Amino acid sequence: MSLRPLTIFVTSFGGQGVILPILLLVTLILLVSGQRRAAFWWAFSVALVLGLVLVAKIAFIPCGRYLGGLDLRSPSGHAGASMAVYGGLAVLVARLARSRALAGLALFCGFGLALAIAVTRVVLGAHSLSETILGGAIGLIAPLLLASRPDLFVRPVRLKWIWLLVAPVIVVALLHGVELGAESVIERIARELNAWLGVCR
């Protein structure tokens, strides 16, 4: 029995068509609940990761071949975005949880899903191990940034942690498997920029 359908199913949780709506919907939920500070740090941290992954891709696509045996051509956007969004979401839920058990479960599930998505990128041959590790490492910036904010939520907190899980579930149910095709666009931009700047020939 082939595991490829399961692998494709899991990897689709990290696609742009799922990640970006989750980012927007969670930001909206935080804003509507009066948690503007949390909304800012959530949106900023995830956007920062997405921006850094984009910059890394633009740099590595034309120049990665000069790094010898590192096998770095294009850092994994799925790994980076998944670690940022699901890991960051896990931190938000853990901060709202009223028990250590629930907080621990949230962190385990969030980072576990992000790790599973990263593994599928290697299994499917979409990225090398080094590309996936680099993408995931960049993605860790978001949950670490959120975890470092002691004043993340304004007290009293009326927002229930369950709403932060309902949002991704709705998005996944509606958009799972949708891809925006950003990779080909990024690759074209990277090569055009490099041709213009003449950095790597």
Side-chain angles (χ1 to χ4, degrees):
M1 179 179 176
S2 174
L3 292 177
R4 184 172 176 81
L6 176 61
T7 308
I8 294 175
F9 176 80
V10 173
T11 209
S12 295
F13 283 86
Q16 305 101 340
V18 173
I19 290 294
L20 294 178
I22 289 177
L23 166 61
L24 295 174
L25 191 52
V26 170
T27 302
L28 181 62
I29 290 172
L30 290 169
L31 286 173
V32 169
S33 66
Q35 296 295 335
R36 295 182 180 180
R37 185 186 300 148
F40 168 78
W41 283 109
W42 156 259
F44 171 76
S45 63
V46 175
L48 176 63
V49 165
L50 297 180
L52 290 174
V53 170
L54 176 61
V55 170
K57 280 180 174 290
I58 289 174
F60 280 105
I61 286 173
C63 301
R65 64 181 182 275
Y66 294 108
L67 297 177
L70 292 180
D71 200 13
L72 277 172
R73 194 193 72 85
S74 175
S76 174
H78 276 66
S82 298
M83 191 63 71
V85 167
Y86 297 119
L89 198 56
V91 171
L92 292 179
V93 172
R95 294 286 288 272
L96 290 174
R98 296 190 176 184
S99 70
R100 288 187 178 181
L102 180 57
L105 180 61
L107 294 172
F108 176 79
C109 291
F111 284 101
L113 177 57
L115 181 59
I117 293 168
V119 169
T120 64
R121 304 311 290 165
V122 179
V123 172
L124 290 170
H127 290 283
S128 67
L129 180 60
S130 55
E131 289 171 342
T132 304
I133 290 174
L134 178 57
I138 296 173
L140 272 173
I141 293 173
L144 289 175
L145 192 57
L146 289 170
S148 70
R149 301 299 307 178
D151 57 346
L152 187 60
F153 288 102
V154 177
R155 305 291 174 178
V157 181
R158 296 183 176 85
L159 175 64
K160 302 295 184 182
W161 61 266
I162 191 66
W163 289 108
L164 296 180
L165 296 184
V166 169
V169 169
I170 292 174
V171 169
V172 168
L174 294 175
L175 300 174
H176 183 267
V178 174
E179 289 289 346
L180 301 182
E183 190 70 26
S184 59
V185 175
I186 293 171
E187 184 161 347
R188 186 174 70 250
I189 292 172
R191 298 199 181 284
E192 289 177 357
L193 274 176
N194 182 65
W196 179 55
L197 297 173
V199 177
C200 298
R201 297 187 182 277

